[in-house]
Amino acid sequence: MQWRALVLGLVLLRLGLHAVLWLVFGLGPSMGFYQRFPLSFGFQRLRVRDGSGASGPPGGPAWLHRPLLGKAAARREAPGRPGSGVCGPAHWGYTLGGRGSGPDEYERRYTGAFPQHLRARMRDLARGMFVFGYDNYMAHAFPQDELNPIHCRGRGPDRGDPSNLNINDVLGNYSLTLVDALDTLAIMGNSSEFQKAVKLVINTVSFDKDSTVQVFEATIRVLGSLLSAHRIITDSKQPFGDMTIEDYDNELLHMAHDLAVRLLPAFENTKTGIPYPRVNLKTGVPPDSNNETCTAGAGSLLVEFGILSRLLGDSTFEWVARRAVKALWNLRSNDTGLLGNVVNIQTGHWVGKQSGLGAGLDSFYEYLLKSYILFGDKEDLEMFNAAYQSIQSYLRRGREACNEGEGDPPLYVNVNMFSGQLMNTWIDSLQAFFPGLQVLIGDVEDAICLHAFYYAIWKRYGALPERYNWQLQAPDVLFYPLRPELVESTYLLYQATKNPFYLHVGMDILQSLEKYTKVKCGYATLHHVIDKSKEDRMESFFLSETCKYLYLLFDEENPVHKSGTKYMFTTEGHIISVDKRLRELPWKEFFSEDGERDQEEKFVHRPKSQEFRVVNSSSNCNRVPDERRYSLPLKSVYMRQIDQMVGLI
C-alpha cells in the first residue's frame, strides 16, 4: 500500500504545482498528453497482449485497445482513463489571453481575415506550380506516362522487371500524366491548353497496349479523367469558359468505353464477384495473376463505372462494380462490422485482417458515400452509415468530443477486423483524406480535430511521411510522393467553415512544396522527409489533385464555387457535376445477382431531403458556418495546440 500512497502524493504535488503556476503566472501547462511528448498522441509506452496472451508491441494504456461502444460506454470509461485532463473551450479561452493581458500572439497571427492580395498571391503560386510541372512534362516526358523531374526525362512501364508493381501498376504507356491533368486545365480556366490537350489525347492515346495495369489505378486515373473531361466539353453551361471542342463526337466517352471493356475481364472467373487486381489491356487477366486484392482496389470502382454505364445506357459496368462492393460488404465481420484490407477473390477469405482508414481501405468508404451522392441508391448510404458507425466504435480512440471532455484527443487506429484489438501503432498518409469525408457527412467537429493531427505532422517535417508511428513519435516510412490527401481535407474544411485558418494551412503546404520538392524540371518525391533527399519521380496525381485543391482553396471566384452547379470530386480529384441525369437509369430493367429481373423504380431510390445529410464538396452547398462554434478552436486554439505538439513553443 506504500507505493499507492507515494503515487497519490506525487499526483497531488503535481496538481498543487499547476495550481500555483496558474494563479501566479497564468501559464500552467496543459495536463493532457500534449505536455508529455513533443508531438501529440504519445500514449504511455506499455506493452499490450494479443489474443494468445503473448506480449505485443508497445501500444499505450489499456483503454486504447478497447473499442468505444457508443456514448454511454465512453462516458463510463472516461474517468478511468490515465492522463485525462480538461481541455474544453473555457480552458483554452483562459490560457490563450482571456486575462486582460492584450491580444494573444496566435489571435494576431491566425484570426484576422486572410488578406485578399495574399490569397491572390497564393492562388497564382498554386497555378504556377501546376504550370511548371505540366509544361515540363509536355516538354521532356510526353508521350510517356510520367516525368522524372530531376533528370528531365520521361518514364514508362518497367518492361525489364514486370514485378516492379510500384511502377507497372500505374503506368500503362498511355500518356498518363496528360490524361490525368485534363480537368485541372479546365478548372484553372485555360481553355486553349485544355482544347489542345484533349485533341492530343484523342489523336495519340490508345489502350490497345501490351501493358498489365492495376484495375483500380487505371479506373480512377484514366477512366475517371476521360469521363470528367467529356462532361466538361459537353456541358451546355460551360462554366469554366469555352471548353468546347470543334467537331467533338464524344471521342473521350468512346475511349472511356474502350478502356472499361478492356478492364472487364478482371470481373470474370472469380467465384466471389470480386475482381482480379490486374489485367493486360490487350490479352486480359494474366495466367499467373494474383488471387489476392485489397478492399479499396476492388471496391472503389463504382463511381467511374456507374457514370460510364449511365452515360452509355449500358448497365454492365455499374453492375459488375456494384456486385464487387456487395460481395466485399457481405464478408465483413459479424461481430464488429469491419472489413479487412486484403481478400482472396476466389475463396472470400481475409488474407489481411487489418481494418483502418488508410491504404487498402480508404476509398472503399469514400465511394460508398459518393456513389450515393451521385446515384441516389439508398443501399449505398445504408452501407456507409453502418461502416461509419463501426469505424467510430472500433477504430476511434480518445475522448468522445473533440474539443471538450476528459481524455486524449481522438485518433483513428488500425485494428483486427474481427476483435477490434490494436494491430500496430502507425497511421499512414492516405488516412488524411478522412477529415474531408467527414465534412461531406456533416461531422465537421471531428474533422477539425483529426485534420489538426495530420497538419501537426506536416508542420514538423514540411511533408507528410508515408507512415507515422504515433507511439514512437517518428516516421516509420520516410518518403512523401506529393500526395494530395491533406490538401483535399484542408480545402473541404475551408469550404465548410470559411475559416481563414485553413488558408494559412494551405499557404504553409504550398511554401513547403516549393522549398523542399521543386527541382530543375518539376516537383520531385521526397525520399526522406527529415533530410529532404529526393526521388526522381512526379506522380500524375500531383497535377490532377495536389495542385488542383491548392488552387481551388485560394480561388474563391472559381466557377466551382460560383456557378450554381453542384460538384463532387472522385478519389483522384476529377470533377463531376451532380445532376439529375446521373440519378436516373437510362435502361428500363436489369438483372440482379440471382438472375431475377428488377424494375427500374425498385433499383433507384430517390432520397427525400431529410435523408440527405451530405454536404456538397464545393461551396455551393448551402452550409452557413457557425462562427460562434468554430472561431475559437480554429483561429487560435488549434494553432497554439499544433505548435506545442511540434515543440515550437
Side-chain angles (χ1 to χ4, degrees), residues 254-314:
H254 297 320
M255 292 179 68
H257 184 207
D258 177 45
L259 175 59
V261 168
R262 295 174 186 275
L263 299 177
L264 278 181
F267 297 87
E268 300 170 1
N269 302 318
T270 75
K271 295 178 181 178
T272 61
I274 302 170
Y276 284 92
R278 298 172 185 86
V279 295
N280 184 286
L281 295 176
K282 188 182 284 286
T283 62
V285 177
D288 58 348
S289 184
N290 191 352
N291 284 328
E292 297 174 1
T293 190
C294 69
T295 303
S300 305
L301 309 171
L302 183 52
V303 166
E304 289 84 2
F305 274 48
I307 294 171
L308 180 64
S309 274
R310 291 169 190 244
L311 293 180
L312 293 175
D314 180 352

Side-chain angles (χ1 to χ4, degrees), residues 398-561:
R399 60 177 176 252
E400 181 182 352
C402 172
N403 290 324
E404 59 188 8
E406 296 180 332
D408 293 325
L411 174 69
Y412 290 82
V413 299
N414 300 316
V415 303
N416 183 290
M417 64 172 289
F418 295 109
S419 66
Q421 295 299 307
L422 189 75
M423 287 193 71
N424 51 57
T425 59
W426 50 259
I427 54 97
D428 65 57
S429 63
L430 291 173
Q431 293 180 12
F433 92 98
F434 197 68
L437 190 65
Q438 290 181 307
V439 168
L440 297 188
I441 60 170
D443 196 356
V444 180
E445 190 76 19
D446 219 44
I448 289 168
C449 203
L450 187 59
H451 174 274
F453 170 62
Y454 296 110
Y455 177 48
I457 301 172
W458 181 286
K459 199 168 176 62
R460 169 181 274 189
Y461 300 108
L464 203 57
E466 194 72 348
R467 280 187 185 175
Y468 182 83
N469 191 310
W470 46 260
Q471 174 65 40
L472 301 176
Q473 300 297 313
D476 273 352
V477 179
L478 287 151
F479 71 90
Y480 168 65
L482 309 175
R483 289 199 188 280
E485 284 75 19
L486 179 61
V487 184
E488 177 186 10
S489 289
T490 302
Y491 166 66
L492 292 173
L493 270 165
Y494 178 71
Q495 294 304 317
T497 66
K498 294 300 181 185
N499 198 292
F501 169 81
Y502 294 108
L503 300 177
H504 286 279
V505 173
M507 181 170 65
D508 193 7
I509 293 172
L510 259 174
Q511 291 172 338
S512 295
L513 290 170
E514 281 290 311
K515 181 177 181 180
Y516 298 126
T517 72
K518 190 173 185 178
V519 292
K520 181 179 179 181
C521 293
Y523 295 83
T525 291
L526 284 182
H527 175 72
H528 196 293
V529 296
I530 297 175
D531 68 21
K532 303 301 186 293
S533 56
K534 299 172 181 63
E535 295 180 18
D536 197 9
R537 187 177 188 186
M538 187 180 83
E539 292 215 43
S540 67
F541 53 65
F542 177 70
L543 299 183
S544 71
E545 296 185 82
T546 308
C547 293
K548 179 185 295 164
Y549 287 127
L550 283 169
Y551 180 79
L552 287 173
L553 175 64
F554 295 107
D555 188 23
E556 60 183 335
E557 299 300 321
N558 195 277
V560 171
H561 309 137

Side-chain angles (χ1 to χ4, degrees), residues 329-342:
W329 184 250
N330 291 334
L331 294 174
R332 71 193 187 281
S333 168
N334 292 329
D335 296 323
T336 65
L338 298 172
L339 295 88
N341 58 343
V342 181

Side-chain angles (χ1 to χ4, degrees), residues 55-69:
S55 293
W63 67 265
L64 180 63
H65 308 282
R66 293 197 297 271
L68 301 180
L69 300 177

Side-chain angles (χ1 to χ4, degrees), residues 41-303:
F41 303 98
F43 303 102
Q44 296 175 359
R45 287 164 173 75
L46 304 179
R47 297 191 70 78
V48 298
R49 297 186 177 275
D50 58 26
S52 65
S55 293
W63 67 265
L64 180 63
H65 308 282
R66 293 197 297 271
L68 301 180
L69 300 177
K71 294 183 178 179
R75 282 193 293 268
R76 284 197 301 272
E77 295 208 325
R81 293 177 186 169
S84 63
V86 177
C87 296
H91 165 79
W92 283 113
Y94 181 74
T95 60
L96 288 176
R99 304 180 299 277
S101 58
D104 179 83
E105 173 193 355
Y106 292 87
E107 286 292 322
R108 291 195 304 269
R109 187 173 167 195
Y110 292 104
T111 62
F114 202 83
Q116 202 59 35
H117 72 276
L118 184 58
R119 185 195 290 255
R121 208 172 101 204
M122 292 301 106
R123 179 202 62 207
D124 294 344
L125 180 60
R127 183 196 287 120
M129 182 178 288
F130 171 83
V131 169
F132 186 68
Y134 177 84
D135 285 352
N136 274 287
Y137 165 78
M138 295 303 297
H140 302 291
F142 177 81
Q144 292 184 272
D145 287 310
E146 283 181 353
L147 170 67
N148 287 356
I150 296 175
H151 290 98
C152 304
R153 58 183 180 227
R155 179 200 296 266
D158 188 351
R159 302 297 191 189
D161 183 11
S163 66
N164 185 1
L165 300 181
N166 183 46
I167 297 297
N168 294 327
D169 270 358
V170 177
L171 309 188
N173 193 23
Y174 38 38
S175 303
L176 173 65
T177 296
L178 175 63
V179 175
D180 212 2
L182 290 177
D183 66 308
T184 309
L185 289 166
I187 285 173
M188 291 186 178
N190 193 340
S191 57
S192 60
E193 190 61 36
F194 174 79
Q195 293 162 344
K196 176 183 175 183
V198 168
K199 292 176 182 177
L200 205 54
V201 169
I202 292 172
N203 294 329
T204 65
V205 174
S206 168
F207 302 119
D208 188 22
K209 304 281 188 180
D210 183 19
S211 297
T212 298
V213 295
Q214 192 185 79
V215 174
F216 170 70
E217 295 290 356
T219 298
I220 66 169
R221 299 202 196 201
V222 182
L223 182 63
S225 185
L226 293 172
L227 293 170
S228 176
H230 168 75
R231 301 260 296 168
I232 290 170
I233 294 167
T234 57
D235 187 346
S236 60
K237 297 179 182 179
Q238 288 296 300
F240 301 109
D242 184 8
M243 301 293 164
T244 58
I245 306 293
E246 187 177 355
D247 300 323
Y248 180 71
D249 191 23
N250 297 323
E251 286 91 347
L252 296 185
L253 181 60
H254 297 320
M255 292 179 68
H257 184 207
D258 177 45
L259 175 59
V261 168
R262 295 174 186 275
L263 299 177
L264 278 181
F267 297 87
E268 300 170 1
N269 302 318
T270 75
K271 295 178 181 178
T272 61
I274 302 170
Y276 284 92
R278 298 172 185 86
V279 295
N280 184 286
L281 295 176
K282 188 182 284 286
T283 62
V285 177
D288 58 348
S289 184
N290 191 352
N291 284 328
E292 297 174 1
T293 190
C294 69
T295 303
S300 305
L301 309 171
L302 183 52
V303 166

Side-chain angles (χ1 to χ4, degrees), residues 544-591:
S544 71
E545 296 185 82
T546 308
C547 293
K548 179 185 295 164
Y549 287 127
L550 283 169
Y551 180 79
L552 287 173
L553 175 64
F554 295 107
D555 188 23
E556 60 183 335
E557 299 300 321
N558 195 277
V560 171
H561 309 137
K562 296 291 186 180
S563 68
T565 302
K566 296 185 182 299
Y567 293 100
M568 190 194 79
F569 295 94
T570 71
T571 195
E572 184 71 10
H574 298 305
I575 195 165
I576 300 293
S577 58
V578 181
D579 56 41
K580 183 179 179 181
R581 184 177 179 186
L582 294 180
R583 284 292 182 103
E584 296 175 346
L585 289 178
W587 52 89
K588 297 295 182 183
E589 55 191 24
F590 81 110
F591 289 92

